[in-house]
Amino acid sequence: MSKNQRTVFIIDDCSEDREIYEYYLRCDKNYTYNILHAGNGEEALRVCAEELPDVVLLDIVLQNVDGLEVLKQLRSSFNRSYLPIIVLVGQRDEEVAIAAMKSGAAEYLVKN
């Protein structure tokens, strides 16, 4: 992998949202991205067992496994000392964002 290439893992059950995030990443002039996708929590945990991303974008509301549970499992299962996990929350989900930060999220972004 080149110095300016990063692997980003997008975990979101909305394919349109995943496409939007990928579009903006592809517009970055400073870096190129290897982008991994998962549409649900179970798939996300399976992919993370095989891949080592540089950063994770995690929608906190997933259909089959709660995003906070995925966050906790990612935190406990990764052998790396630090994996930035950025959670994606709705506009009125401040309490969920705080819970995510307490569970090990590096940051949160409000989906809009």
Side-chain angles (χ1 to χ4, degrees):
M1 181 168 33
S2 78
K3 184 176 170 181
N4 289 336
Q5 183 175 10
R6 302 289 186 261
T7 299
V8 177
F9 187 24
I10 302 171
I11 306 166
D12 196 316
D13 54 4
C14 178
S15 62
E16 292 86 5
D17 285 352
R18 289 192 311 265
E19 290 172 13
I20 290 169
Y21 305 139
E22 183 170 346
Y23 169 79
Y24 283 111
L25 288 167
R26 299 266 184 233
C27 291
D28 187 342
K29 304 277 190 247
N30 298 313
Y31 292 91
T32 57
Y33 296 94
N34 174 33
I35 300 175
L36 308 171
H37 297 273
N40 61 60
E42 291 172 352
E43 181 183 5
L45 295 171
R46 189 171 49 254
V47 169
C48 277
E50 300 169 6
E51 301 285 339
L52 292 174
D54 294 303
V55 65
V56 174
L57 295 178
L58 171 63
D59 185 6
I60 209 70
V61 179
L62 298 171
Q63 290 182 8
N64 64 342
V65 178
D66 178 63
L68 283 175
E69 182 60 32
V70 172
L71 171 65
K72 290 174 186 174
Q73 288 186 35
L74 289 175
R75 275 281 155 246
S76 67
S77 66
F78 262 93
N79 293 330
R80 295 168 57 185
S81 61
Y82 182 70
L83 171 67
I85 300 174
I86 301 169
V87 295
L88 306 164
V89 299
Q91 285 186 319
R92 295 185 176 95
D93 291 335
E94 186 175 331
E95 290 178 22
V96 175
I98 292 169
M101 298 293 287
K102 288 180 179 179
S103 294
E107 189 59 75
Y108 71 94
L109 296 173
V110 177
K111 291 176 85 171
N112 186 359

